[in-house]
Amino acid sequence: MTTAPDSVRTEPRLALITGSARRVGAVIAETLHARGWTVFIHYRQSEAEAAALAARLNTLRPDSAHILQADLNQPAAPGELAARVLALTGGRLDTLINNASSFYPTPAGSATLAQWDDLFASNARAPFFLSQALTPALAAAQGSIVNIVDIHASRPFRDYPVYCMAKAALAMMTRALAKDLAPRVRVNGVAPGAILWPEEHSESVIDPDVQAKILSGVPLGRLGAPADIARTVAFLVEDAPYITGQIIVVDGGRSQTLGEE
């Protein structure tokens, strides 16, 4: 949603995508860029991947991709990141995609306070304060926020209680801000199902037997793709001016049959 029709507007639309150096976030950045957006690629540790992505996109269209580092788990970081983006854009921004997330198991009985703080910081606190800091710019553009939630925000995943609670907070934030920021800022979410398995070296690796069980419950019978999420995000930010407060599930139908896992 923009302040002027695309046929009138001369400057590119601007998007900040958190956690967009790799995986789903990178595909979101690539998808919006292919549609003419200028993208701000945020990363925490993946500097090489962020730089490579920006270089590739800038080869296609000069000065259309920028990288920004921030550890959003640090309390001051969301406000600082917002200020840096707005300094680069002259105070403009059309959309914020809250994609950055931590994901790992915290079985009941072994979860630590540090894990709680980490999972809630990345999945709930940072998206809220980044959204708050960028609201004036988004309101001026009649822009939007899209939060990458999870189907397990409403249906728990065994051994991941803290992650599920944090994503549930993000889902409620989506609905609450949609009401609070209307009518000038739309706020929606996308809830992925099984899209990409965690990387094998990560602490959140999922056992092959569990993977098979998950896929057996997907009516479409296959893993999704990052492009499925990216296209849904693009729809919400470009083609859905009368949609707000909604969380679109992209899971191959799995949530319709989901039980305890």
Side-chain angles (χ1 to χ4, degrees):
M1 193 171 186
T2 63
T3 54
D6 287 348
S7 59
V8 174
R9 183 168 180 157
T10 57
E11 71 277 8
R13 288 167 292 186
L14 309 173
L16 169 62
I17 309 105
T18 67
S20 54
R22 305 168 59 247
R23 293 170 64 86
V24 171
V27 178
I28 293 172
E30 290 171 332
T31 299
L32 293 181
H33 183 272
R35 295 170 178 237
W37 291 66
T38 291
V39 294
F40 293 84
I41 299 163
H42 158 263
Y43 69 96
R44 182 172 68 171
Q45 295 176 315
S46 303
E47 181 177 8
E49 292 92 338
L53 174 58
R56 186 167 70 253
L57 298 180
N58 283 324
T59 297
L60 298 172
R61 198 169 70 250
D63 200 36
S64 60
H66 309 270
I67 66 172
L68 294 162
Q69 192 279 335
D71 180 356
L72 293 177
N73 283 15
Q74 299 302 313
E80 293 170 352
L81 177 61
R84 289 165 60 199
V85 169
L86 296 178
L88 290 171
T89 66
R92 295 174 47 237
L93 193 68
D94 293 279
T95 196
L96 164 65
I97 314 299
N98 284 309
N99 170 73
S101 172
S102 297
F103 171 77
Y104 50 81
T106 53
S110 66
T112 67
L113 182 60
Q115 291 172 329
W116 174 283
D117 289 344
D118 176 63
L119 287 165
F120 268 84
S122 65
N123 289 295
R125 188 182 72 195
F128 177 81
F129 284 101
L130 189 55
S131 298
Q132 179 172 268
L134 290 170
T135 288
L138 293 169
Q142 297 185 43
S144 65
I145 297 169
V146 178
N147 298 316
I148 306 303
V149 190
D150 194 300
I151 60 171
H152 294 296
S154 58
R155 298 173 182 265
F157 187 35
R158 182 183 291 277
D159 291 335
Y160 288 75
V162 181
Y163 170 80
C164 294
M165 287 188 286
K167 284 297 191 183
L170 183 62
M172 180 53 71
M173 178 191 119
T174 301
R175 299 183 179 102
L177 291 188
K179 180 173 288 188
D180 289 356
L181 303 186
R184 297 193 65 81
V185 180
R186 296 181 301 108
V187 186
N188 292 292
V190 177
I195 300 297
L196 284 176
W197 301 124
E199 294 170 322
E200 291 187 3
H201 66 270
S202 73
E203 59 185 314
S204 53
V205 64
I206 296 176
D207 183 88
D209 290 339
V210 176
Q211 293 181 12
K213 183 179 179 181
I214 289 172
L215 287 181
S216 71
V218 177
L220 291 186
R222 58 180 173 82
L223 203 65
D228 296 316
I229 305 305
R231 284 191 293 263
T232 306
V233 171
F235 162 72
L236 287 170
V237 301
E238 290 190 338
D239 300 320
Y242 201 57
I243 297 178
T244 195
Q246 302 302 308
I247 297 174
I248 299 178
V249 174
V250 183
D251 70 347
R254 178 170 163 235
S255 57
Q256 302 305 309
T257 58
L258 190 60
E260 184 180 288
E261 296 176 341

